[in-house]
Amino acid sequence: DEFELMDQKDQSAIHEAMEQQTITLSKAGIQATLNARASILASCLPRNTYYDTTQPLHKNCELTPPIMSRFDLMFVMQDVHDENNDDNIANHIMRLHRFGEEHTVKPTLSELELQRYIRVARSFKPRMQPASHSRIIKCYLKLREDRVYVRGSCGVTVRQLESLVRLSE
């Protein structure tokens, strides 16, 4: 939460994990490099309290381009004023405080079912087919071409191609 407020030292450490997928530890004169195979889910607040839809993402966030380029996916969530939605949220929160947990939404899957699903999903080792391979190259080249002339846009790099491959598999 509030990734942009992270200390510079911590940002450097997480930068290594995101770029090289390793973490380096130094203790008692011993240096060890460990594999960092974890997903990172981060949130950051807009630079000027509210997201400015007239500006691109990188102009709304206080994140450095190297950090931003390491995320495979980025989503913008806006708090848009909507009277009906605001009323529903307020009523839901008040019911929770008044009646407690008995009115919360029950999960569709039990914990055991979710664990089984994850176990089965981990057993699959997807590999890209030749047609997909060609399609991803075509999409990557198109992204590169589209970004060349857009003033103020973040560039599309090989890192985004690697992201496309990871997401496709």
Side-chain angles (χ1 to χ4, degrees), residues 29-150:
I30 299 171
Q31 187 168 350
T33 302
L34 307 172
N35 286 333
R37 303 187 111 204
S39 298
I40 297 174
L41 178 65
S43 69
C44 87
L45 298 172
R47 183 174 280 155
N48 298 317
T49 309
Y50 290 101
Y51 190 84
D52 182 357
T53 55
T54 64
Q55 296 292 319
L57 178 63
H58 69 280
K59 300 263 185 184
N60 274 288
C61 297
E62 302 249 4
L63 297 176
T64 63
I67 290 283
M68 285 184 77
S69 73
R70 275 147 184 97
F71 285 99
D72 286 346
L73 299 171
M74 296 185 112
F75 297 96
V76 174
M77 295 174 62
Q78 292 180 269
D79 181 13
V80 179
H81 173 70
D82 174 342
E83 200 169 315
N84 268 348
N85 194 40
D86 292 348
D87 185 57
N88 288 338
I89 291 170
N91 282 312
H92 174 72
I93 290 171
M94 295 311 292
R95 273 195 305 276
L96 283 176
H97 283 279
R98 187 170 177 202
F99 300 112
E101 301 245 347
E102 64 193 54
H103 286 304
T104 58
V105 177
K106 301 293 182 227
T108 319
L109 295 174
S110 70
E111 188 175 331
L112 182 61
E113 290 170 322
L114 183 59
Q115 287 172 345
R116 285 180 181 158
Y117 175 81
I118 291 170
R119 195 174 313 114
V120 170
R122 283 184 176 160
S123 72
F124 288 95
K125 304 291 182 216
R127 292 290 163 232
M128 198 175 305
Q129 301 300 313
S132 303
H133 184 268
S134 300
R135 180 75 177 147
I136 286 179
I137 290 173
K138 193 183 229 182
C139 289
Y140 171 71
L141 294 174
K142 178 82 171 115
L143 282 170
R144 293 273 299 170
E145 183 182 303
D146 290 349
R147 292 295 190 150
V148 171
Y149 301 109
V150 179

